Amino acid sequence: MTVIAYKNGLIAADSMVGSNNHFAGNVGKIARNSAGDLIGTSGLTSWCAAMVQWFAKNERGKMPFLSRGNQDHAPASAIIVRQNSPGFVYVVECDTQLPPFRIMIDPKCGIAIGNGREVARGAMFAGADAITAVKAAIYLEDGCGGDIHAFRFKGGPIILHQAKGYER
């Protein structure tokens, strides 16, 4: 249960983790590596944490993988945006050993993953940036919440504590 939104060099995410439809805590779901590339993860918490760690270590070693035979996991995916090609996103699925596949981003809509993706994409289509799109998903989707974390290709991390009016 999450929302990750990317548009025009800015990636943002909620930080809520849930268990059985209950709030279980906050985690970081996005990262930037030393090359300035960005990642956002959605789905099974253990896989997402492993992906963020792998990415932050400049993608050293094998990419985390979950076997299709493991029926106990929720779907999980990640988006990777390379600083040298910000108009494209690489999509990673947790249960395949295939390399990430590349898709072109519509600059007006950006891209979003997670259960709040439709709200986030609609907000970005209407002109919102990625942070505002995540705020909209937090407000409208039960599975999204917590603080908002964001990164640009350069500069420090952005952490927004949810302002009154965005939480239900």
Side-chain angles (χ1 to χ4, degrees):
M1 312 292 266
T2 201
V3 61
I4 308 292
Y6 170 80
K7 183 179 178 185
N8 297 331
L10 176 65
I11 193 167
D14 72 330
S15 59
M16 185 177 90
V17 175
S19 176
N20 297 324
N21 292 326
H22 296 300
F23 176 78
N26 290 297
V27 298
K29 302 174 185 178
I30 60 174
R32 184 181 57 221
N33 65 17
S34 64
D37 301 330
L38 306 170
I39 190 171
T41 60
S42 171
L44 184 67
T45 304
S46 60
W47 181 81
C48 292
M51 276 298 288
V52 167
Q53 285 183 331
W54 169 79
F55 187 79
K57 292 177 182 175
N58 295 314
E59 304 168 53
R60 287 194 196 109
K62 285 191 169 189
M63 183 171 45
F65 166 74
L66 286 174
S67 165
R68 286 189 189 267
N70 179 353
Q71 299 301 316
D72 295 332
H73 72 80
S77 59
I79 54 173
I80 297 173
V81 187
R82 303 286 184 205
Q83 185 173 359
N84 63 359
S85 58
F88 292 90
V89 165
Y90 294 84
V91 178
V92 180
E93 298 295 333
C94 73
D95 56 359
T96 179
Q97 291 183 324
L98 296 174
F101 58 93
R102 182 175 144 161
I103 61 172
M104 191 170 177
I105 302 170
D106 180 337
K108 184 166 178 135
C109 296
I111 190 167
I113 60 173
N115 69 311
R117 69 187 170 275
E118 289 89 1
V119 172
R121 288 209 64 209
M124 290 187 290
F125 178 77
D129 65 10
I131 292 173
T132 305
V134 169
K135 286 180 183 179
I138 288 171
Y139 185 75
L140 295 170
E141 289 289 334
D142 291 337
C144 301
D147 294 340
I148 297 172
H149 299 167
F151 282 102
R152 293 191 183 280
F153 287 122
K154 295 182 179 174
I158 303 164
I159 300 175
L160 303 174
H161 300 289
Q162 275 298 272
K164 194 170 185 168
Y166 284 106
E167 292 187 14
R168 291 180 193 208

